[in-house]
Structure formats: C-alpha cells, structure tokens
Amino acid sequence: MYRKSRTTYLINSFRDYQCNCGEAEMVTLVWYPHHKKIRNLIYRYGSKTEQRQEALRLMEQSTPMCRNCAAKFEHGLEPFIL
Ligand SMILES: [Zn+2]
C-alpha cells in the first residue's frame, strides 16, 4: 500500500538531523540500524496506531545516518565515532 503522506512523514522525520559526515539531505538519511522496520511500520500503519508509537520508539534507539555512512558502518569501516 502506497500513501504519499506516509512517505513524506518518514522523510520529514529527519528534518532536525543530519549525518555526522555533514550530509543533511533528508532523502539520503536512514535510521540506523532500525530503518527497515521503522519504514515498514510507518508505511503500513496510520498515525494513530500503536505501531506508529513503536516506530517512534525505534527512532529514539537509532542514529540518523546517510546511506553512505550506514553502508560503511555495516562493513566495519567506521565513518565517524558515534
Ligand atoms: Zn554520512
């Protein structure tokens, strides 16, 4: 199910953040390491659901990071010190 507002919501969740490498373009950012789960929760469930709250909790436990840095991080090449 595709809802544009939910896609926008996920992108806007990075509004006050940037990657430690300086990347601030919101569409390149991910919530590391829980991004896939957060994205699925937001895309599948509405704003008034328990699942949305779960997504927000996962965001609190994650670090906003650009896709480049997330890829490096996954392979043990630490792009910066957390
Ligand atoms: Zn980065």
Side-chain angles (χ1 to χ4, degrees):
M1 179 173 52
Y2 179 78
R3 298 260 186 97
K4 188 155 196 316
S5 64
R6 292 181 187 175
T7 314
T8 307
Y9 178 88
L10 180 61
I11 291 171
N12 281 339
S13 69
F14 296 109
R15 189 171 33 219
D16 299 325
Y17 301 98
Q18 65 177 41
C19 185
N20 276 19
C21 74
E23 178 61 67
E25 176 54 57
M26 292 189 288
V27 298
T28 72
L29 299 176
V30 294
W31 289 105
Y32 189 84
H34 298 303
H35 190 76
K36 274 183 193 158
K37 196 165 182 196
I38 291 167
R39 187 184 60 196
N40 285 341
L41 287 170
I42 289 174
Y43 282 10
R44 287 179 193 162
Y45 302 95
S47 58
K48 299 202 165 49
T49 60
E50 172 59 27
Q51 286 82 358
R52 177 65 62 89
Q53 296 306 310
E54 171 71 9
L56 292 173
R57 275 194 294 275
L58 285 168
M59 284 179 190
E60 284 172 14
Q61 296 164 19
S62 302
T63 305
M65 208 185 275
C66 76
R67 289 177 197 278
N68 270 342
C69 290
K72 290 178 197 169
F73 205 77
E74 267 174 19
H75 292 279
L77 305 166
E78 294 193 30
F80 51 76
I81 305 301
L82 282 177

